[in-house]
Amino acid sequence: FNCAQMMQSGEEFTSGGWRWIANPSPGKKDCEVDPSERQVRVWKSKIQNVICEHGQSNHTNLAHEVSERVKQMARQADYGVGKWMVFEGGKNLESQWTIIKQLVVSGELGPVAKLSAQPRGRVICIYTYNFSDEADVWRVYQKLVQHDIQPTSWKADIMTAMGFYKGSFEHDGKKYDIPGLKMGWFLPKDCPK
C-alpha cells in the first residue's frame, strides 16, 4: 500500500477492487512505498536463480532458503510491511469489517486494512508496519482475537509483490512449485502466550 494515496479522513474508500480504511494519524512512521516494477523483477530473478541452482534436490531446504532470501531482500529494501488475513468462512465478513474499521481508525491496529470487494473468495487484510517488529505483529493479532476475529496467517507484502501464491512462484512465464514454502511467516499457533 502507499500511504500517500490513502485518505486521511478515517473514512472508508474504494480503490482497485478493495474497500480501504486508513488510520488518519498512523504515528509509527511513514508507510513504505510500494517497490518499483524494476525492483520486483530483480527480486524475482534472484529467487529464480536460487530455485534453478537448487534443482530437484531436498525441497525442505529449498523452501527454507527461498523464505530466508525473501526476508533478507525485504530487510535490505526496508519493505517489511505485511498483513494478517481473515478469509470468508463461518462468520460474517461485513460485521468483522465494521469492527476492524473502528480499530484501525482508533489506532488500535496497524495503519491500514482492506476488504476485497469481489463477491466470492473474499478476504480482509489488516496491515502491520514491519515483520521485524514481531511484538507489533503479535499485538495486532491479539487485538483481533480479543474482538473474536480469527486471522489465518500473516503474509509479507514482498511475497505478494513477487507473485508468491499457495506455495508457488511465477517469473518470466514459468511457474515454480516450492513444496513446503510457508506463505504465512506468522501463524496463530505460534502466538506467544
Side-chain angles (χ1 to χ4, degrees), residues 50-71:
V50 169
I51 293 168
C52 292
E53 288 170 7
H54 198 275
Q56 295 299 317
S57 57
N58 188 324
H59 292 297
T60 304
N61 289 343
L62 174 61
H64 177 76
E65 186 172 347
V66 166
S67 183
E68 290 305 309
R69 289 280 181 96
V70 171
K71 288 177 185 177

Side-chain angles (χ1 to χ4, degrees), residues 118-132:
Q118 62 193 24
R120 295 170 44 109
R122 295 174 71 199
V123 62
I124 299 174
C125 298
I126 306 97
Y127 285 85
T128 63
Y129 291 96
N130 196 310
F131 69 88
S132 295

Side-chain angles (χ1 to χ4, degrees), residues 48-107:
Q48 184 180 36
N49 289 341
V50 169
I51 293 168
C52 292
E53 288 170 7
H54 198 275
Q56 295 299 317
S57 57
N58 188 324
H59 292 297
T60 304
N61 289 343
L62 174 61
H64 177 76
E65 186 172 347
V66 166
S67 183
E68 290 305 309
R69 289 280 181 96
V70 171
K71 288 177 185 177
Q72 179 183 33
M73 289 185 275
R75 285 186 189 99
Q76 289 172 344
D78 194 25
Y79 188 54
V81 69
K83 64 260 182 196
W84 283 105
M85 297 179 293
V86 179
F87 291 94
E88 193 161 42
K91 296 190 178 175
N92 182 317
L93 271 188
E94 287 295 331
S95 62
Q96 292 180 45
W97 177 239
T98 299
I99 294 166
I100 289 167
K101 287 191 310 182
Q102 293 166 351
L103 294 170
V104 167
V105 170
S106 69

Side-chain angles (χ1 to χ4, degrees), residues 23-50:
N23 179 338
S25 53
K28 268 198 172 221
K29 66 173 187 166
D30 291 336
C31 297
E32 295 145 353
V33 176
D34 290 337
S36 68
E37 287 183 34
R38 181 182 178 284
Q39 180 63 62
V40 171
R41 285 198 57 74
V42 168
W43 289 336
K44 290 175 92 169
S45 291
K46 288 180 179 182
I47 294 302
Q48 184 180 36
N49 289 341
V50 169

Side-chain angles (χ1 to χ4, degrees), residues 5 66 80 110 136 171:
Q5 298 173 349
V66 166
D136 186 61
H171 183 55

Side-chain angles (χ1 to χ4, degrees), residues 137-148:
V137 172
W138 288 119
R139 178 194 63 77
V140 170
Y141 170 79
Q142 290 168 337
K143 181 59 75 170
L144 291 166
V145 171
Q146 286 173 6
H147 289 273
D148 201 28

